[in-house]
Amino acid sequence: MSRKTPKETSNSNSEKSANFDDSFLDQTLRPTRWEEYIGQKHIKDNVKILLRAAEERGHIPEHVLFYGPPGLGKTTLAHLIAKETGRQMKITSGPAIEKVGDLASILTNLSPGDILFIDEIHRLNKMVEEILYPAMESGVLDIIIGKGPSARTIQLDLPPFTLIAATTRVALVSSPLRSRFSGGVFRLEFYSNEEIEKIIQRSSKLLKTELEAEALKEIAKRSRFTPRTANYFLKRCRDFAQVHKKSLDQKTVREALNMLAVDEIGLNPSDRKFLEILIEKFGGGPVGLKTIGAAMSEEEATVEEVIEPYLIQLGLLERSPRGRVATNKAYEHLGFARPEKKQEKLL
Ligand code: ADE
């Protein structure tokens, strides 16, 4: 089945990265109406008003920025906005727009009212970013022709468009760029356990997979409060049950997820390695991000964006001004004894 809806187009450079970001959340599972989108109520309420008000005034919606950990549905929200407003959406990403000319070509090829979705907007380079400012604010493209004293600027009018951008690292989006998202800057939160259960329920129906109630709960418990992970686990459990000719009960789900090395609270080998290094090599911290990244042979960005948010959410890790600190709960979960001195300090 094609991964694209008829309305979507993508510019060729970007297709790979946009699909990569979405690789676990295929078209079938993606909500296509607001009523189907579970959770993130604060964002839904605000965005719906923004879209409705723009429609009533006969304007196009203002630009919005979504941020938060991976897998929480930033891209899904952009697709939903496009579907609900009946607009065409072009998809690209920060690293795919290498040169000013790449952005100029994307913008001049938009049709009036289109949505432009830029994923990983924090990875736009400075020159490209500066071209984006007047495009977002005044709908014009400033092009510099020539070099040195004879250089001159020409201004091209652009078709009116709505920019929807997404990032996992809002702190790396410059404040001039952030301030141009006049429709709002919205933070996606981790989902509650009940919301994840509803998402799994919905997905299992769409995948025509029978799932016992306890099995559903087991998948939810290990899903990191993240829909992409929940849907990924559901699909892997379905594969496992099919291959082993078993029904999807709690025991089968446990076997399937244990095989994926996901423990009962959703920690994967990288999460456990992070905590083990923090505790065993650095006495539980505080230790800086650079140091722990180097000790794990992992990129700092991955540690900060992918590993830490969930550990913090679970209360296994704290970020203090002096660095990362493992909590008592982390010691307990991994079965380490807390050194006396540290225990006293925390009491
Ligand atoms: N699939 C991924 N995210 C979802 C959400 N928030 N609601 C319903 N299904 C989803």
Side-chain angles (χ1 to χ4, degrees), residues 54-332:
E55 194 186 342
E56 285 177 6
R57 286 197 299 266
H59 290 173
I60 59 154
E62 289 171 71
H63 313 299
V64 290
L65 173 64
F66 296 127
Y67 72 96
L72 297 189
K74 299 182 285 295
T75 311
T76 302
L77 270 173
H79 278 282
L80 194 51
I81 292 173
K83 273 258 162 60
E84 284 276 0
T85 56
R87 290 170 194 277
Q88 175 174 254
M89 182 160 91
K90 298 213 170 161
I91 304 171
T92 186
S93 74
I97 310 173
E98 289 174 10
K99 297 187 292 276
V100 167
D102 297 336
L103 181 62
S105 146
I106 294 170
L107 292 174
T108 50
N109 280 304
L110 293 173
S111 302
D114 275 1
I115 292 174
L116 173 64
F117 178 64
I118 307 185
D119 200 7
E120 298 187 78
I121 189 127
H122 63 276
R123 292 179 63 188
L124 272 188
N125 76 49
K126 252 285 87 14
M127 304 258 283
V128 172
E129 190 176 316
E130 277 171 18
I131 291 289
L132 196 53
Y133 297 159
M136 290 174 73
E137 222 164 28
S138 326
V140 294
L141 193 62
D142 287 325
I143 298 179
I144 301 167
I145 297 183
K147 278 195 177 145
S150 63
R152 61 197 177 88
T153 309
I154 57 165
Q155 246 185 17
L156 284 182
D157 282 334
L158 291 168
F161 71 101
T162 300
L163 176 64
I164 303 181
T167 180
T168 46
R169 310 196 72 194
V170 76
L172 299 186
V173 178
S174 70
S175 66
L177 180 55
R178 237 183 298 169
S179 69
R180 282 168 172 88
F181 287 94
S182 49
V185 174
F186 299 104
R187 175 192 152 115
L188 281 90
E189 304 288 344
F190 280 114
Y191 290 68
S192 68
N193 206 46
E194 292 72 39
E195 287 165 348
I196 290 293
E197 285 181 9
K198 280 190 196 156
I199 290 172
I200 298 172
Q201 183 92 58
R202 175 180 175 274
S203 300
S204 66
K205 276 205 190 108
L206 289 169
L207 294 174
K208 301 190 176 33
T209 299
E210 288 214 9
L211 193 61
E212 282 185 9
E214 287 309 309
L216 188 150
K217 281 194 170 25
E218 190 69 34
I219 297 178
K221 210 172 67 172
R222 302 190 191 205
S223 290
R224 312 170 71 87
F225 313 122
T226 302
R228 184 187 295 162
T229 311
N231 285 330
Y232 171 67
F233 286 167
L234 174 64
K235 287 191 276 178
R236 297 296 73 81
C237 289
R238 184 177 73 146
D239 291 349
F240 185 89
Q242 178 192 314
V243 169
H244 290 282
K245 306 202 173 10
K246 291 181 171 178
S247 63
L248 262 177
D249 55 17
Q250 190 182 32
K251 183 167 170 282
T252 307
V253 163
R254 281 189 179 152
E255 281 170 19
L257 295 180
N258 288 344
M259 218 174 90
L260 291 172
V262 184
D263 76 12
E264 63 283 1
I265 59 166
L267 299 192
N268 61 31
S270 297
D271 303 321
R272 287 193 294 268
K273 185 172 166 195
F274 176 96
L275 290 175
E276 278 161 15
I277 288 178
L278 179 56
I279 291 172
E280 288 188 312
K281 283 209 170 125
F282 301 103
V287 62
L289 173 65
K290 256 194 175 50
T291 311
I292 197 147
M296 281 185 82
S297 311
E298 190 66 85
E299 283 188 25
E300 282 168 48
T302 309
V303 173
E304 204 172 19
E305 287 167 43
V306 181
I307 299 176
E308 290 186 344
Y310 183 59
L311 298 177
I312 292 170
Q313 182 74 13
L314 283 182
L316 298 173
L317 178 73
E318 279 170 10
R319 277 187 193 145
S320 79
R322 289 170 52 225
R324 275 63 178 165
V325 182
T327 63
N328 284 342
K329 207 172 155 191
Y331 278 80
E332 269 166 36

Side-chain angles (χ1 to χ4, degrees), residues 25 29 31 36-38 191 199 202 227 231:
L25 198 77
L29 302 184
E36 294 173 7
Y37 189 94
I38 294 155
Y191 290 68
I199 290 172
R202 175 180 175 274
N231 285 330

Side-chain angles (χ1 to χ4, degrees), residues 3-22:
R3 295 174 70 88
K4 285 195 266 172
T5 63
K7 269 187 207 138
E8 273 172 44
T9 53
S10 332
N11 103 4
S12 57
N13 276 353
S14 62
E15 192 159 26
K16 223 189 311 166
S17 51
N19 277 349
F20 178 73
D21 183 50
D22 251 5

